[in-house]
Amino acid sequence: MPKPLTLTLATALGLLLLCPPLQASERERGRLLYENHCTTCHTSTVHVRSEHKAHTLEDIETQVRRWSGELGLKWSDAEVAAVRHYLGVRYYGYSED
């Protein structure tokens, strides 16, 4: 194997080890937070309508932060990330990674 390729693969592996994907319990936490606090107003149709405001993961996070603030939920960054991830995978077609 050529050295540049070996170095690239080693670097990629190292980065993967530093940034593990959300654990199943964290993904479940995002689902539970969303279902317990958001589905009073949001049905699944809000995420698939043509006029939805979120088009990227950053947009999703912005909306999660906005509405958690509006509702006075005081979610931590980890809770916001868990809900963003859940919505991204469940409704917006992002992968589990």
Side-chain angles (χ1 to χ4, degrees):
M1 191 178 314
K3 288 188 181 201
L5 182 56
T6 302
L7 181 59
T8 301
L9 290 174
T11 302
L13 179 60
L15 289 173
L16 285 173
L17 293 174
L18 290 174
C19 303
L22 289 176
Q23 299 298 316
S25 61
E26 293 175 89
R27 289 190 302 268
E28 180 67 6
R29 185 174 189 200
R31 183 185 69 80
L32 291 173
L33 285 167
Y34 180 78
E35 288 179 356
N36 287 320
H37 297 285
C38 306
T39 57
T40 302
C41 298
H42 288 268
T43 62
S44 61
T45 59
V46 75
H47 303 290
V48 296
R49 64 185 181 193
S50 61
E51 307 88 36
H52 65 264
K53 294 181 180 179
H55 300 280
T56 66
L57 285 173
E58 292 79 18
D59 293 343
I60 295 168
E61 181 169 334
T62 297
Q63 292 300 317
V64 170
R65 285 191 187 282
R66 174 183 175 217
W67 286 105
S68 66
E70 290 283 330
L71 296 172
L73 299 175
K74 299 180 182 173
W75 282 350
S76 68
D77 288 342
E79 289 169 321
V80 169
V83 174
R84 179 200 66 214
H85 180 77
Y86 167 72
L87 292 173
V89 171
R90 174 71 175 90
Y91 295 107
Y92 296 92
Y94 290 95
S95 70
E96 284 287 329
D97 298 336

PDB file of all heavy atoms in Angstrom, residues 21-53:
ATOM      1  N   PRO A  21     -20.334   7.790  16.999  1.00  0.00           N
ATOM      2  CA  PRO A  21     -21.723   8.141  16.715  1.00  0.00           C
ATOM      3  C   PRO A  21     -22.535   8.134  17.996  1.00  0.00           C
ATOM      4  O   PRO A  21     -22.114   7.588  19.016  1.00  0.00           O
ATOM      5  CB  PRO A  21     -22.180   7.034  15.762  1.00  0.00           C
ATOM      6  CG  PRO A  21     -21.268   5.899  16.044  1.00  0.00           C
ATOM      7  CD  PRO A  21     -19.959   6.493  16.467  1.00  0.00           C
ATOM      8  N   LEU A  22     -23.710   8.747  17.954  1.00  0.00           N
ATOM      9  CA  LEU A  22     -24.583   8.720  19.113  1.00  0.00           C
ATOM     10  C   LEU A  22     -24.897   7.277  19.481  1.00  0.00           C
ATOM     11  O   LEU A  22     -25.146   6.437  18.625  1.00  0.00           O
ATOM     12  CB  LEU A  22     -25.897   9.442  18.810  1.00  0.00           C
ATOM     13  CG  LEU A  22     -25.832  10.956  18.664  1.00  0.00           C
ATOM     14  CD1 LEU A  22     -27.208  11.481  18.266  1.00  0.00           C
ATOM     15  CD2 LEU A  22     -25.368  11.615  19.933  1.00  0.00           C
ATOM     16  N   GLN A  23     -24.882   6.992  20.747  1.00  0.00           N
ATOM     17  CA  GLN A  23     -25.232   5.662  21.223  1.00  0.00           C
ATOM     18  C   GLN A  23     -26.749   5.493  21.111  1.00  0.00           C
ATOM     19  O   GLN A  23     -27.494   6.471  21.045  1.00  0.00           O
ATOM     20  CB  GLN A  23     -24.777   5.495  22.669  1.00  0.00           C
ATOM     21  CG  GLN A  23     -23.283   5.635  22.853  1.00  0.00           C
ATOM     22  CD  GLN A  23     -22.516   4.575  22.085  1.00  0.00           C
ATOM     23  OE1 GLN A  23     -22.875   3.404  22.100  1.00  0.00           O
ATOM     24  NE2 GLN A  23     -21.477   4.984  21.395  1.00  0.00           N
ATOM     25  N   ALA A  24     -27.189   4.243  21.113  1.00  0.00           N
ATOM     26  CA  ALA A  24     -28.617   3.961  20.972  1.00  0.00           C
ATOM     27  C   ALA A  24     -29.421   4.674  22.044  1.00  0.00           C
ATOM     28  O   ALA A  24     -30.500   5.212  21.771  1.00  0.00           O
ATOM     29  CB  ALA A  24     -28.852   2.455  21.029  1.00  0.00           C
ATOM     30  N   SER A  25     -28.909   4.733  23.267  1.00  0.00           N
ATOM     31  CA  SER A  25     -29.647   5.392  24.345  1.00  0.00           C
ATOM     32  C   SER A  25     -29.788   6.891  24.079  1.00  0.00           C
ATOM     33  O   SER A  25     -30.798   7.495  24.425  1.00  0.00           O
ATOM     34  CB  SER A  25     -28.970   5.150  25.688  1.00  0.00           C
ATOM     35  OG  SER A  25     -27.662   5.685  25.690  1.00  0.00           O
ATOM     36  N   GLU A  26     -28.784   7.516  23.455  1.00  0.00           N
ATOM     37  CA  GLU A  26     -28.869   8.936  23.118  1.00  0.00           C
ATOM     38  C   GLU A  26     -29.881   9.172  22.007  1.00  0.00           C
ATOM     39  O   GLU A  26     -30.620  10.160  22.028  1.00  0.00           O
ATOM     40  CB  GLU A  26     -27.496   9.467  22.729  1.00  0.00           C
ATOM     41  CG  GLU A  26     -26.523   9.486  23.894  1.00  0.00           C
ATOM     42  CD  GLU A  26     -25.139   9.890  23.461  1.00  0.00           C
ATOM     43  OE1 GLU A  26     -24.872  11.103  23.461  1.00  0.00           O
ATOM     44  OE2 GLU A  26     -24.354   8.995  23.106  1.00  0.00           O
ATOM     45  N   ARG A  27     -29.904   8.279  21.013  1.00  0.00           N
ATOM     46  CA  ARG A  27     -30.902   8.398  19.945  1.00  0.00           C
ATOM     47  C   ARG A  27     -32.304   8.254  20.524  1.00  0.00           C
ATOM     48  O   ARG A  27     -33.216   8.999  20.178  1.00  0.00           O
ATOM     49  CB  ARG A  27     -30.658   7.354  18.868  1.00  0.00           C
ATOM     50  CG  ARG A  27     -29.422   7.611  18.038  1.00  0.00           C
ATOM     51  CD  ARG A  27     -29.335   6.699  16.834  1.00  0.00           C
ATOM     52  NE  ARG A  27     -29.336   5.294  17.154  1.00  0.00           N
ATOM     53  CZ  ARG A  27     -28.238   4.563  17.356  1.00  0.00           C
ATOM     54  NH1 ARG A  27     -27.046   5.117  17.288  1.00  0.00           N
ATOM     55  NH2 ARG A  27     -28.329   3.289  17.626  1.00  0.00           N
ATOM     56  N   GLU A  28     -32.453   7.308  21.430  1.00  0.00           N
ATOM     57  CA  GLU A  28     -33.744   7.091  22.079  1.00  0.00           C
ATOM     58  C   GLU A  28     -34.124   8.323  22.910  1.00  0.00           C
ATOM     59  O   GLU A  28     -35.287   8.716  22.948  1.00  0.00           O
ATOM     60  CB  GLU A  28     -33.691   5.843  22.957  1.00  0.00           C
ATOM     61  CG  GLU A  28     -34.971   5.528  23.680  1.00  0.00           C
ATOM     62  CD  GLU A  28     -36.130   5.130  22.773  1.00  0.00           C
ATOM     63  OE1 GLU A  28     -35.955   4.983  21.550  1.00  0.00           O
ATOM     64  OE2 GLU A  28     -37.244   4.979  23.295  1.00  0.00           O
ATOM     65  N   ARG A  29     -33.145   8.928  23.546  1.00  0.00           N
ATOM     66  CA  ARG A  29     -33.414  10.129  24.336  1.00  0.00           C
ATOM     67  C   ARG A  29     -33.955  11.251  23.449  1.00  0.00           C
ATOM     68  O   ARG A  29     -34.891  11.949  23.823  1.00  0.00           O
ATOM     69  CB  ARG A  29     -32.146  10.585  25.047  1.00  0.00           C
ATOM     70  CG  ARG A  29     -32.385  11.743  25.973  1.00  0.00           C
ATOM     71  CD  ARG A  29     -31.158  12.068  26.770  1.00  0.00           C
ATOM     72  NE  ARG A  29     -31.503  13.026  27.790  1.00  0.00           N
ATOM     73  CZ  ARG A  29     -30.646  13.795  28.398  1.00  0.00           C
ATOM     74  NH1 ARG A  29     -29.366  13.696  28.117  1.00  0.00           N
ATOM     75  NH2 ARG A  29     -31.027  14.641  29.312  1.00  0.00           N
ATOM     76  N   GLY A  30     -33.380  11.421  22.265  1.00  0.00           N
ATOM     77  CA  GLY A  30     -33.876  12.429  21.338  1.00  0.00           C
ATOM     78  C   GLY A  30     -35.317  12.178  20.949  1.00  0.00           C
ATOM     79  O   GLY A  30     -36.133  13.101  20.899  1.00  0.00           O
ATOM     80  N   ARG A  31     -35.633  10.922  20.687  1.00  0.00           N
ATOM     81  CA  ARG A  31     -37.016  10.561  20.337  1.00  0.00           C
ATOM     82  C   ARG A  31     -37.953  10.866  21.498  1.00  0.00           C
ATOM     83  O   ARG A  31     -39.021  11.472  21.311  1.00  0.00           O
ATOM     84  CB  ARG A  31     -37.116   9.084  19.969  1.00  0.00           C
ATOM     85  CG  ARG A  31     -38.532   8.664  19.534  1.00  0.00           C
ATOM     86  CD  ARG A  31     -38.639   7.173  19.284  1.00  0.00           C
ATOM     87  NE  ARG A  31     -38.521   6.391  20.497  1.00  0.00           N
ATOM     88  CZ  ARG A  31     -39.518   6.202  21.382  1.00  0.00           C
ATOM     89  NH1 ARG A  31     -40.694   6.773  21.194  1.00  0.00           N
ATOM     90  NH2 ARG A  31     -39.321   5.470  22.450  1.00  0.00           N
ATOM     91  N   LEU A  32     -37.555  10.479  22.703  1.00  0.00           N
ATOM     92  CA  LEU A  32     -38.415  10.701  23.862  1.00  0.00           C
ATOM     93  C   LEU A  32     -38.603  12.183  24.166  1.00  0.00           C
ATOM     94  O   LEU A  32     -39.715  12.618  24.484  1.00  0.00           O
ATOM     95  CB  LEU A  32     -37.844   9.974  25.084  1.00  0.00           C
ATOM     96  CG  LEU A  32     -37.901   8.452  25.020  1.00  0.00           C
ATOM     97  CD1 LEU A  32     -37.146   7.842  26.195  1.00  0.00           C
ATOM     98  CD2 LEU A  32     -39.336   7.962  24.981  1.00  0.00           C
ATOM     99  N   LEU A  33     -37.532  12.952  24.068  1.00  0.00           N
ATOM    100  CA  LEU A  33     -37.653  14.393  24.290  1.00  0.00           C
ATOM    101  C   LEU A  33     -38.618  15.004  23.286  1.00  0.00           C
ATOM    102  O   LEU A  33     -39.492  15.800  23.647  1.00  0.00           O
ATOM    103  CB  LEU A  33     -36.280  15.067  24.178  1.00  0.00           C
ATOM    104  CG  LEU A  33     -35.331  14.865  25.352  1.00  0.00           C
ATOM    105  CD1 LEU A  33     -33.917  15.298  24.970  1.00  0.00           C
ATOM    106  CD2 LEU A  33     -35.818  15.628  26.579  1.00  0.00           C
ATOM    107  N   TYR A  34     -38.448  14.628  22.029  1.00  0.00           N
ATOM    108  CA  TYR A  34     -39.324  15.158  20.976  1.00  0.00           C
ATOM    109  C   TYR A  34     -40.779  14.749  21.220  1.00  0.00           C
ATOM    110  O   TYR A  34     -41.687  15.585  21.196  1.00  0.00           O
ATOM    111  CB  TYR A  34     -38.856  14.686  19.601  1.00  0.00           C
ATOM    112  CG  TYR A  34     -39.732  15.198  18.489  1.00  0.00           C
ATOM    113  CD1 TYR A  34     -39.609  16.509  18.044  1.00  0.00           C
ATOM    114  CD2 TYR A  34     -40.699  14.389  17.907  1.00  0.00           C
ATOM    115  CE1 TYR A  34     -40.432  16.999  17.041  1.00  0.00           C
ATOM    116  CE2 TYR A  34     -41.517  14.874  16.908  1.00  0.00           C
ATOM    117  CZ  TYR A  34     -41.383  16.178  16.473  1.00  0.00           C
ATOM    118  OH  TYR A  34     -42.203  16.669  15.491  1.00  0.00           O
ATOM    119  N   GLU A  35     -40.998  13.471  21.468  1.00  0.00           N
ATOM    120  CA  GLU A  35     -42.365  12.992  21.648  1.00  0.00           C
ATOM    121  C   GLU A  35     -43.026  13.579  22.892  1.00  0.00           C
ATOM    122  O   GLU A  35     -44.223  13.847  22.893  1.00  0.00           O
ATOM    123  CB  GLU A  35     -42.394  11.465  21.682  1.00  0.00           C
ATOM    124  CG  GLU A  35     -42.129  10.864  20.314  1.00  0.00           C
ATOM    125  CD  GLU A  35     -42.118   9.347  20.304  1.00  0.00           C
ATOM    126  OE1 GLU A  35     -42.234   8.720  21.381  1.00  0.00           O
ATOM    127  OE2 GLU A  35     -41.966   8.784  19.210  1.00  0.00           O
ATOM    128  N   ASN A  36     -42.254  13.783  23.946  1.00  0.00           N
ATOM    129  CA  ASN A  36     -42.829  14.304  25.185  1.00  0.00           C
ATOM    130  C   ASN A  36     -43.066  15.810  25.174  1.00  0.00           C
ATOM    131  O   ASN A  36     -43.935  16.293  25.896  1.00  0.00           O
ATOM    132  CB  ASN A  36     -41.944  13.946  26.382  1.00  0.00           C
ATOM    133  CG  ASN A  36     -42.050  12.486  26.735  1.00  0.00           C
ATOM    134  OD1 ASN A  36     -43.125  11.915  26.694  1.00  0.00           O
ATOM    135  ND2 ASN A  36     -40.935  11.873  27.075  1.00  0.00           N
ATOM    136  N   HIS A  37     -42.296  16.554  24.381  1.00  0.00           N
ATOM    137  CA  HIS A  37     -42.392  18.004  24.448  1.00  0.00           C
ATOM    138  C   HIS A  37     -42.862  18.675  23.162  1.00  0.00           C
ATOM    139  O   HIS A  37     -43.257  19.843  23.213  1.00  0.00           O
ATOM    140  CB  HIS A  37     -41.030  18.591  24.842  1.00  0.00           C
ATOM    141  CG  HIS A  37     -40.583  18.162  26.189  1.00  0.00           C
ATOM    142  ND1 HIS A  37     -41.114  18.662  27.353  1.00  0.00           N
ATOM    143  CD2 HIS A  37     -39.648  17.259  26.569  1.00  0.00           C
ATOM    144  CE1 HIS A  37     -40.538  18.101  28.391  1.00  0.00           C
ATOM    145  NE2 HIS A  37     -39.647  17.237  27.946  1.00  0.00           N
ATOM    146  N   CYS A  38     -42.800  17.984  22.048  1.00  0.00           N
ATOM    147  CA  CYS A  38     -43.039  18.663  20.767  1.00  0.00           C
ATOM    148  C   CYS A  38     -44.279  18.179  20.023  1.00  0.00           C
ATOM    149  O   CYS A  38     -44.839  18.933  19.218  1.00  0.00           O
ATOM    150  CB  CYS A  38     -41.812  18.512  19.863  1.00  0.00           C
ATOM    151  SG  CYS A  38     -40.277  19.059  20.646  1.00  0.00           S
ATOM    152  N   THR A  39     -44.685  16.951  20.249  1.00  0.00           N
ATOM    153  CA  THR A  39     -45.774  16.400  19.439  1.00  0.00           C
ATOM    154  C   THR A  39     -47.148  16.929  19.836  1.00  0.00           C
ATOM    155  O   THR A  39     -48.125  16.646  19.151  1.00  0.00           O
ATOM    156  CB  THR A  39     -45.778  14.858  19.466  1.00  0.00           C
ATOM    157  OG1 THR A  39     -45.868  14.418  20.828  1.00  0.00           O
ATOM    158  CG2 THR A  39     -44.536  14.311  18.805  1.00  0.00           C
ATOM    159  N   THR A  40     -47.215  17.721  20.894  1.00  0.00           N
ATOM    160  CA  THR A  40     -48.480  18.369  21.218  1.00  0.00           C
ATOM    161  C   THR A  40     -48.899  19.265  20.061  1.00  0.00           C
ATOM    162  O   THR A  40     -50.066  19.318  19.694  1.00  0.00           O
ATOM    163  CB  THR A  40     -48.339  19.206  22.511  1.00  0.00           C
ATOM    164  OG1 THR A  40     -47.929  18.343  23.559  1.00  0.00           O
ATOM    165  CG2 THR A  40     -49.632  19.886  22.871  1.00  0.00           C
ATOM    166  N   CYS A  41     -47.907  19.941  19.487  1.00  0.00           N
ATOM    167  CA  CYS A  41     -48.186  20.842  18.346  1.00  0.00           C
ATOM    168  C   CYS A  41     -47.735  20.260  17.009  1.00  0.00           C
ATOM    169  O   CYS A  41     -48.318  20.576  15.983  1.00  0.00           O
ATOM    170  CB  CYS A  41     -47.478  22.181  18.542  1.00  0.00           C
ATOM    171  SG  CYS A  41     -48.035  23.070  20.001  1.00  0.00           S
ATOM    172  N   HIS A  42     -46.693  19.447  17.042  1.00  0.00           N
ATOM    173  CA  HIS A  42     -46.113  18.943  15.801  1.00  0.00           C
ATOM    174  C   HIS A  42     -46.531  17.500  15.532  1.00  0.00           C
ATOM    175  O   HIS A  42     -46.204  16.607  16.299  1.00  0.00           O
ATOM    176  CB  HIS A  42     -44.573  18.956  15.861  1.00  0.00           C
ATOM    177  CG  HIS A  42     -43.993  20.316  15.797  1.00  0.00           C
ATOM    178  ND1 HIS A  42     -43.626  20.905  14.618  1.00  0.00           N
ATOM    179  CD2 HIS A  42     -43.717  21.206  16.773  1.00  0.00           C
ATOM    180  CE1 HIS A  42     -43.141  22.099  14.874  1.00  0.00           C
ATOM    181  NE2 HIS A  42     -43.191  22.314  16.169  1.00  0.00           N
ATOM    182  N   THR A  43     -47.213  17.319  14.424  1.00  0.00           N
ATOM    183  CA  THR A  43     -47.438  15.967  13.936  1.00  0.00           C
ATOM    184  C   THR A  43     -46.337  15.699  12.912  1.00  0.00           C
ATOM    185  O   THR A  43     -45.589  16.605  12.545  1.00  0.00           O
ATOM    186  CB  THR A  43     -48.821  15.839  13.263  1.00  0.00           C
ATOM    187  OG1 THR A  43     -48.846  16.711  12.126  1.00  0.00           O
ATOM    188  CG2 THR A  43     -49.934  16.195  14.226  1.00  0.00           C
ATOM    189  N   SER A  44     -46.226  14.488  12.450  1.00  0.00           N
ATOM    190  CA  SER A  44     -45.167  14.166  11.489  1.00  0.00           C
ATOM    191  C   SER A  44     -45.304  14.976  10.206  1.00  0.00           C
ATOM    192  O   SER A  44     -44.327  15.200   9.499  1.00  0.00           O
ATOM    193  CB  SER A  44     -45.165  12.677  11.176  1.00  0.00           C
ATOM    194  OG  SER A  44     -46.398  12.305  10.596  1.00  0.00           O
ATOM    195  N   THR A  45     -46.491  15.463   9.901  1.00  0.00           N
ATOM    196  CA  THR A  45     -46.683  16.209   8.658  1.00  0.00           C
ATOM    197  C   THR A  45     -45.941  17.542   8.642  1.00  0.00           C
ATOM    198  O   THR A  45     -45.639  18.065   7.578  1.00  0.00           O
ATOM    199  CB  THR A  45     -48.174  16.461   8.377  1.00  0.00           C
ATOM    200  OG1 THR A  45     -48.728  17.202   9.468  1.00  0.00           O
ATOM    201  CG2 THR A  45     -48.927  15.165   8.187  1.00  0.00           C
ATOM    202  N   VAL A  46     -45.631  18.099   9.803  1.00  0.00           N
ATOM    203  CA  VAL A  46     -44.924  19.377   9.848  1.00  0.00           C
ATOM    204  C   VAL A  46     -43.537  19.260   9.226  1.00  0.00           C
ATOM    205  O   VAL A  46     -43.007  20.219   8.684  1.00  0.00           O
ATOM    206  CB  VAL A  46     -44.867  19.936  11.293  1.00  0.00           C
ATOM    207  CG1 VAL A  46     -43.856  19.183  12.134  1.00  0.00           C
ATOM    208  CG2 VAL A  46     -44.547  21.414  11.285  1.00  0.00           C
ATOM    209  N   HIS A  47     -42.956  18.080   9.259  1.00  0.00           N
ATOM    210  CA  HIS A  47     -41.595  17.889   8.761  1.00  0.00           C
ATOM    211  C   HIS A  47     -41.532  17.580   7.272  1.00  0.00           C
ATOM    212  O   HIS A  47     -40.469  17.684   6.679  1.00  0.00           O
ATOM    213  CB  HIS A  47     -40.903  16.777   9.549  1.00  0.00           C
ATOM    214  CG  HIS A  47     -40.885  17.056  11.006  1.00  0.00           C
ATOM    215  ND1 HIS A  47     -40.120  18.045  11.566  1.00  0.00           N
ATOM    216  CD2 HIS A  47     -41.571  16.489  12.025  1.00  0.00           C
ATOM    217  CE1 HIS A  47     -40.315  18.068  12.874  1.00  0.00           C
ATOM    218  NE2 HIS A  47     -41.202  17.153  13.165  1.00  0.00           N
ATOM    219  N   VAL A  48     -42.631  17.188   6.698  1.00  0.00           N
ATOM    220  CA  VAL A  48     -42.609  16.818   5.282  1.00  0.00           C
ATOM    221  C   VAL A  48     -43.374  17.790   4.393  1.00  0.00           C
ATOM    222  O   VAL A  48     -43.390  17.618   3.185  1.00  0.00           O
ATOM    223  CB  VAL A  48     -43.146  15.378   5.071  1.00  0.00           C
ATOM    224  CG1 VAL A  48     -42.243  14.367   5.743  1.00  0.00           C
ATOM    225  CG2 VAL A  48     -44.580  15.243   5.570  1.00  0.00           C
ATOM    226  N   ARG A  49     -43.947  18.800   4.980  1.00  0.00           N
ATOM    227  CA  ARG A  49     -44.662  19.781   4.168  1.00  0.00           C
ATOM    228  C   ARG A  49     -43.665  20.569   3.318  1.00  0.00           C
ATOM    229  O   ARG A  49     -42.494  20.725   3.680  1.00  0.00           O
ATOM    230  CB  ARG A  49     -45.509  20.708   5.034  1.00  0.00           C
ATOM    231  CG  ARG A  49     -44.703  21.538   5.964  1.00  0.00           C
ATOM    232  CD  ARG A  49     -45.551  22.346   6.897  1.00  0.00           C
ATOM    233  NE  ARG A  49     -44.652  23.134   7.743  1.00  0.00           N
ATOM    234  CZ  ARG A  49     -45.025  23.753   8.811  1.00  0.00           C
ATOM    235  NH1 ARG A  49     -46.272  23.697   9.212  1.00  0.00           N
ATOM    236  NH2 ARG A  49     -44.158  24.444   9.507  1.00  0.00           N
ATOM    237  N   SER A  50     -44.110  21.075   2.207  1.00  0.00           N
ATOM    238  CA  SER A  50     -43.194  21.748   1.285  1.00  0.00           C
ATOM    239  C   SER A  50     -42.642  23.051   1.850  1.00  0.00           C
ATOM    240  O   SER A  50     -41.566  23.484   1.465  1.00  0.00           O
ATOM    241  CB  SER A  50     -43.882  22.005  -0.058  1.00  0.00           C
ATOM    242  OG  SER A  50     -45.004  22.837   0.127  1.00  0.00           O
ATOM    243  N   GLU A  51     -43.321  23.680   2.782  1.00  0.00           N
ATOM    244  CA  GLU A  51     -42.870  24.965   3.331  1.00  0.00           C
ATOM    245  C   GLU A  51     -42.064  24.818   4.619  1.00  0.00           C
ATOM    246  O   GLU A  51     -41.912  25.789   5.348  1.00  0.00           O
ATOM    247  CB  GLU A  51     -44.074  25.877   3.630  1.00  0.00           C
ATOM    248  CG  GLU A  51     -45.024  26.099   2.494  1.00  0.00           C
ATOM    249  CD  GLU A  51     -46.101  25.018   2.444  1.00  0.00           C
ATOM    250  OE1 GLU A  51     -46.556  24.549   3.495  1.00  0.00           O
ATOM    251  OE2 GLU A  51     -46.479  24.626   1.332  1.00  0.00           O
ATOM    252  N   HIS A  52     -41.587  23.617   4.947  1.00  0.00           N
ATOM    253  CA  HIS A  52     -40.867  23.492   6.222  1.00  0.00           C
ATOM    254  C   HIS A  52     -39.618  24.372   6.230  1.00  0.00           C
ATOM    255  O   HIS A  52     -39.039  24.672   5.188  1.00  0.00           O
ATOM    256  CB  HIS A  52     -40.533  22.036   6.560  1.00  0.00           C
ATOM    257  CG  HIS A  52     -39.586  21.357   5.631  1.00  0.00           C
ATOM    258  ND1 HIS A  52     -40.022  20.576   4.597  1.00  0.00           N
ATOM    259  CD2 HIS A  52     -38.239  21.328   5.586  1.00  0.00           C
ATOM    260  CE1 HIS A  52     -38.970  20.111   3.946  1.00  0.00           C
ATOM    261  NE2 HIS A  52     -37.880  20.552   4.527  1.00  0.00           N
ATOM    262  N   LYS A  53     -39.245  24.828   7.430  1.00  0.00           N
ATOM    263  CA  LYS A  53     -38.165  25.791   7.573  1.00  0.00           C
ATOM    264  C   LYS A  53     -36.793  25.139   7.666  1.00  0.00           C
ATOM    265  O   LYS A  53     -35.784  25.802   7.485  1.00  0.00           O
ATOM    266  CB  LYS A  53     -38.410  26.651   8.800  1.00  0.00           C
ATOM    267  CG  LYS A  53     -39.640  27.517   8.646  1.00  0.00           C
ATOM    268  CD  LYS A  53     -39.872  28.381   9.853  1.00  0.00           C
ATOM    269  CE  LYS A  53     -41.127  29.216   9.621  1.00  0.00           C
ATOM    270  NZ  LYS A  53     -41.442  30.066  10.739  1.00  0.00           N
TER     271      LYS A  53
END
